[in-house]
Amino acid sequence: TMIISYIKKIILIILVSYVDYKISNGLSKIYVMLPLTFLAYSFFLYKSDKNIGPLESFVTGLFIDLITNSYFGHNAILFCFASYLINTYSNTFKLFSYLQICIFFGACATAYVGFSQIILNLYNFSYLTLFLSAIFNIMFCIFVAFLSIYFPSISSRKI
């Protein structure tokens, strides 16, 4: 069952990565980057009953680097960092409200955008993209939280 669970996760990552690729072109025209794959994996880490170790996060990030044709190790390092943060503060999240958790994940997505922009566009770094992405990512996380509140069957499934 562990192998089936991992295959489901890989298929979900491929699907989310495809959706991320399709919407990124349209959002980039309005100076917004939505790291949907990163947010989906962070949500998986947050909702998981067990702590996901750095090795699994690193391998998953390398896999995403391979299928998205990004710099090798870019997602791997950022996924390791996300798993470290989420695993470290997993007990603290129980004290947070939905709004605080949404702001945390929106800020993490903004950090992902900032690191990606530094790596990919060092000479053309855009503070406008970073600022608009921060607002958009936080609003997107709040929207997803509202979905889980109004449709609890979505968030009650065990991953």
Side-chain angles (χ1 to χ4, degrees):
T1 61
M2 191 169 151
I3 294 174
I4 293 172
S5 171
Y6 194 71
I7 290 172
K8 284 181 186 178
K9 185 170 46 167
I10 293 297
I11 290 172
L12 184 65
I13 286 172
I14 292 171
L15 179 67
V16 170
S17 179
Y18 178 75
V19 170
D20 190 5
Y21 172 74
K22 286 297 187 183
I23 65 172
S24 66
N25 191 26
L27 288 176
S28 68
K29 292 177 183 174
I30 58 170
Y31 302 103
V32 171
M33 289 181 64
L34 175 67
L36 197 58
T37 309
F38 177 77
L39 284 173
Y41 190 73
S42 297
F43 182 73
F44 169 74
L45 290 170
Y46 174 70
K47 285 300 210 178
S48 179
D49 289 338
K50 63 182 183 84
N51 283 348
I52 306 297
L55 183 63
E56 184 177 340
S57 297
F58 188 77
V59 170
T60 305
L62 286 179
F63 177 73
I64 291 172
D65 287 334
L66 285 174
I67 64 173
T68 60
N69 199 23
S70 63
Y71 288 115
F72 202 62
H74 171 247
N75 285 308
I77 291 171
L78 293 172
F79 279 28
C80 281
F81 184 66
S83 78
Y84 171 75
L85 281 178
I86 292 170
N87 288 335
T88 300
Y89 295 109
S90 62
N91 290 328
T92 309
F93 286 137
K94 295 173 186 172
L95 303 172
F96 285 175
S97 68
Y98 280 122
L99 181 62
Q100 290 170 318
I101 292 172
C102 291
I103 290 171
F104 171 78
F105 282 111
C108 285
T110 303
Y112 180 91
V113 169
F115 287 130
S116 298
Q117 286 295 303
I118 286 173
I119 291 171
L120 300 176
N121 297 328
L122 183 60
Y123 297 111
N124 193 19
F125 187 81
S126 172
Y127 287 105
L128 178 65
T129 301
L130 190 62
F131 179 71
L132 292 177
S133 296
I135 293 171
F136 188 84
N137 289 329
I138 291 171
M139 291 300 161
F140 179 77
C141 290
I142 291 171
F143 173 73
V144 170
F146 277 130
L147 284 180
S148 67
I149 290 171
Y150 290 115
F151 301 105
S153 63
I154 293 172
S155 64
S156 65
R157 285 185 239 158
K158 295 293 179 195
I159 297 176

